[in-house]
């Protein structure tokens, strides 16, 4: 199946950036994320896509993607943002964290620019989203904060056409670029990898506090709808105490309405010796979070009817029943509980979309898009 889209012309993959300054020793300090890379001429940052060229820090992956697909919005995961709708999803290469368990390591750890085989400027992406009937475009697969300038321009094109934007991110970004980044985002899933500084340092190569700061910022200073995902890794971040403290912090600092997804780990990258997360562990984590007062707690990457279901926070009525990414039952009435009338937190249309669990690969070509 092929569709023909108008061509936008070639895209220059290297663009200027803000958020850096010169140090006394002549190196340039990147101030986009807490990693704080200090670059000599010709060096790349840890994220690989930001580099020092001609005495400035540039983004080298503008308009370049590691691939496009149309996913269900539930796959991001977002269960309270336009349920059932398709989202045109793409990422680039590189990452500003070094998680040993990365589930997308072929993209995030790539040091090969040929990973970025697809070329697509903002206009081509928004046209593809329109033609494919997508309600939103997602910056995902690798962390979009490192390609802020590309995401910003895609988002601007989306806004003009009434298409929403979604970020799937670890939220590891400094305050000033954070304000710019989330100013063009409608919904986000924030990956809260653990509730322990030691885990972030040892396993993710970062720090927890900046992520907590991003979560507080989103809740108290923006209108971005966001949900949180915690990938539960056996023996590393799966203790009852950690889940209790994490859930209590979420309720205390963000309120009880921010949905929390406990997701199953699969052995990958540098943690192939760790077993996959059992359904029992995810259910235990879910029960703890519910006891701590989180209203909407889900289990992910497993079949679990209760952990796939949305319940009314007021009276417990079943609102949405899912099987993995598929919506099986919809009982919301204009976003409210049919029994007690309480509004369900989130962004809902009068009914669900009908995309289902499908995943559609999209190849951007000079003459159009190819679907498979
Ligand atoms: S965005 Fe990239 S270059 Fe900048 S500090 Fe973070 S990892 Fe380093």
């Amino acid at each position: 199946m092929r569709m023909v889209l108008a061509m936008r012309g070639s895209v220059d993959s290297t663009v200027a950036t803000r958020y850096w300054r010169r140090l006394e020793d002549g190196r340039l300090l990147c101030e986009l994320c807490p990693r704080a890379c200090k670059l000599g001429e010709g060096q790349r940052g840890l994220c690989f896509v930001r580099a020092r060229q001609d005495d400035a820090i540039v983004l080298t992956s503008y308009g370049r993607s590691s691939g496009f697909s149309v996913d269900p919005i539930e796959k991001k995961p977002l269960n309270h943002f336009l349920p059932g709708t398709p989202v045109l999803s793409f990422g680039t290469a590189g990452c500003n964290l070094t998680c040993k368990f990365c589930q997308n390591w072929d993209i995030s750890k790539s040091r090969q620019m040929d990973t970025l085989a697809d070329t697509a400027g903002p206009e081509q992406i928004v046209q593809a989203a329109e033609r494919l009937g997508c309600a939103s475009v997602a910056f995902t697969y690798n962390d979009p904060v490192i390609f802020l300038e590309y995401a910003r321009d895609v988002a601007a094109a989306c806004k003009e056409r009434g298409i929403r934007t979604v970020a799937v991110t670890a939220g590891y970004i400094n305050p000033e670029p954070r304000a710019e980044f989330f100013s063009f985002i409608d919904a986000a899933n924030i990956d809260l990898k653990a509730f322990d500084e030691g885990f972030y340092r040892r396993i993710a190569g970062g720090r927890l506090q900046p992520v907590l700061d991003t979560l507080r910022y989103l809740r108290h200073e923006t209108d971005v709808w966001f949900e949180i995902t915690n990938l539960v890794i056996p023996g590393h971040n799966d203790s009852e105490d950690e889940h209790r403290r994490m859930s209590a912090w979420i309720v205390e600092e963000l309120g009880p309405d921010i949905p929390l997804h406990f997701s199953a780990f699969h052995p990958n990258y540098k943690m192939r010796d760790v077993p996959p997360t059992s359904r029992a562990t995810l259910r235990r984590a879910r029960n703890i979070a519910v006891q701590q007062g989180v209203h909407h707690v889900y289990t992910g990457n497993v079949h679990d009817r209760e952990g796939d279901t949305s319940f009314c926070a007021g009276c417990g009525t079943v609102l949405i029943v899912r099987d993995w990414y598929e919506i099986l039952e919809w009982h919301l009435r204009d976003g409210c509980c049919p029994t007690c009338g309480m509004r369900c937190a989130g962004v809902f249309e009068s009914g669900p979309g009908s995309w289902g669990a499908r995943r559609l690969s999209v190849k951007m070509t000079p003459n159009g898009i190819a679907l498979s």
Side-chain angles (χ1 to χ4, degrees):
M1 179 181 178
R2 276 182 98 78
M3 293 183 181
V4 177
L5 298 175
M7 278 291 293
R8 178 185 180 272
S10 63
V11 181
D12 190 346
S13 63
T14 299
V15 296
T17 70
R18 303 166 59 196
Y19 311 120
W20 56 269
R21 66 183 165 87
R22 186 179 305 281
L23 298 172
E24 282 184 4
D25 65 6
R27 291 182 298 170
L28 300 185
L29 172 67
C30 178
E31 299 181 302
L32 184 85
C33 92
R35 169 73 55 174
C37 296
K38 301 174 184 71
L39 305 180
E41 186 62 28
Q43 287 185 321
R44 289 181 177 273
L46 175 108
C47 61
F48 188 69
V49 295
R50 300 179 93 82
R52 178 167 173 175
Q53 284 182 14
D54 299 329
D55 213 18
I57 293 184
V58 295
L59 170 66
T60 61
S61 62
Y62 188 98
R64 305 280 298 275
S65 167
S66 52
F68 290 83
S69 64
V70 181
D71 292 331
I73 191 75
E74 286 77 9
K75 193 175 178 190
K76 300 303 103 185
L78 287 171
N79 279 355
H80 292 233
F81 183 76
L82 306 176
T85 60
V87 50
L88 180 63
S89 305
F90 75 98
T92 61
C95 189
N96 56 340
L97 290 169
T98 55
C99 302
K100 292 178 180 168
F101 53 85
C102 185
Q103 310 278 292
N104 284 327
W105 63 273
D106 49 336
I107 293 170
S108 64
K109 305 304 171 205
S110 175
R111 293 292 180 268
Q112 302 294 325
M113 291 312 273
D114 58 10
T115 301
L116 301 170
D118 279 7
T119 301
E123 185 59 25
Q124 193 178 358
I125 292 171
V126 74
Q127 286 192 30
E130 278 187 322
R131 296 292 178 92
L132 295 166
C134 293
S136 54
V137 168
F139 313 114
T140 178
Y141 306 139
N142 68 322
D143 204 303
V145 302
I146 63 170
F147 60 90
L148 180 150
E149 295 77 9
Y150 183 23
R152 175 195 63 205
D153 292 354
V154 173
C158 287
K159 282 256 162 352
E160 284 177 10
R161 314 287 246 287
I163 291 175
R164 320 280 180 105
T165 50
V166 169
V168 180
T169 170
Y172 201 58
I173 184 169
N174 284 333
E176 195 184 345
R178 180 174 67 203
E180 180 179 359
F181 182 81
F182 286 108
S183 71
F184 55 75
I185 296 295
D186 294 299
N189 189 289
I190 305 295
D191 186 14
L192 180 57
K193 296 173 186 291
F195 204 67
D196 176 58
E197 282 288 0
F199 178 100
Y200 265 84
R201 197 175 54 248
R202 281 193 318 277
I203 312 272
R207 287 185 287 125
L208 169 63
Q209 191 57 51
V211 181
L212 300 183
D213 293 344
T214 292
L215 289 167
R216 276 201 204 95
Y217 170 79
L218 285 172
R219 174 68 182 86
H220 299 292
E221 297 183 50
T222 75
D223 293 326
V224 175
W225 173 256
F226 69 100
E227 304 182 18
I228 297 171
T229 295
N230 174 234
L231 185 75
V232 180
I233 307 174
H236 290 276
N237 64 357
D238 64 341
S239 74
E240 291 185 24
D241 175 62
E242 184 161 345
H243 286 144
R244 193 170 292 112
R245 287 186 294 104
M246 175 189 287
S247 303
W249 184 90
I250 288 171
V251 172
E252 173 85 18
E253 299 289 338
L254 311 177
D257 285 329
I258 304 300
L260 174 58
H261 302 252
F262 289 112
S263 189
F265 161 86
H266 295 291
N268 211 344
Y269 193 42
K270 295 179 180 174
M271 290 181 82
R272 293 176 195 269
D273 55 340
V274 177
T277 320
S278 70
R279 196 160 49 176
T281 298
L282 294 182
R283 284 180 171 164
R284 189 195 69 195
R286 182 177 181 277
N287 287 339
I288 290 170
V290 169
Q291 283 163 13
Q292 291 298 315
V294 183
H295 285 164
H296 304 288
V297 192
Y298 300 100
T299 52
N301 290 345
V302 292
H303 286 281
D304 177 17
R305 185 56 59 87
E306 189 165 333
D308 275 345
T309 298
S310 298
F311 300 92
C312 174
C315 68
T317 291
V318 169
L319 302 178
I320 305 171
V321 179
R322 305 174 189 80
D323 177 21
W324 211 289
Y325 305 137
E326 188 144 22
I327 293 175
L328 304 180
E329 296 177 29
W330 176 274
H331 302 291
L332 281 169
R333 288 204 195 126
D334 294 326
C336 297
C337 173
T339 305
C340 72
M342 178 185 257
R343 179 159 293 283
C344 184
V347 179
F348 299 100
E349 303 285 14
S350 55
S354 57
W355 180 254
R358 281 176 294 160
R359 181 176 201 268
L360 189 65
S361 287
V362 179
K363 181 84 183 147
M364 298 283 184
T365 74
N367 300 317
I369 55 176
L371 309 178
S372 59

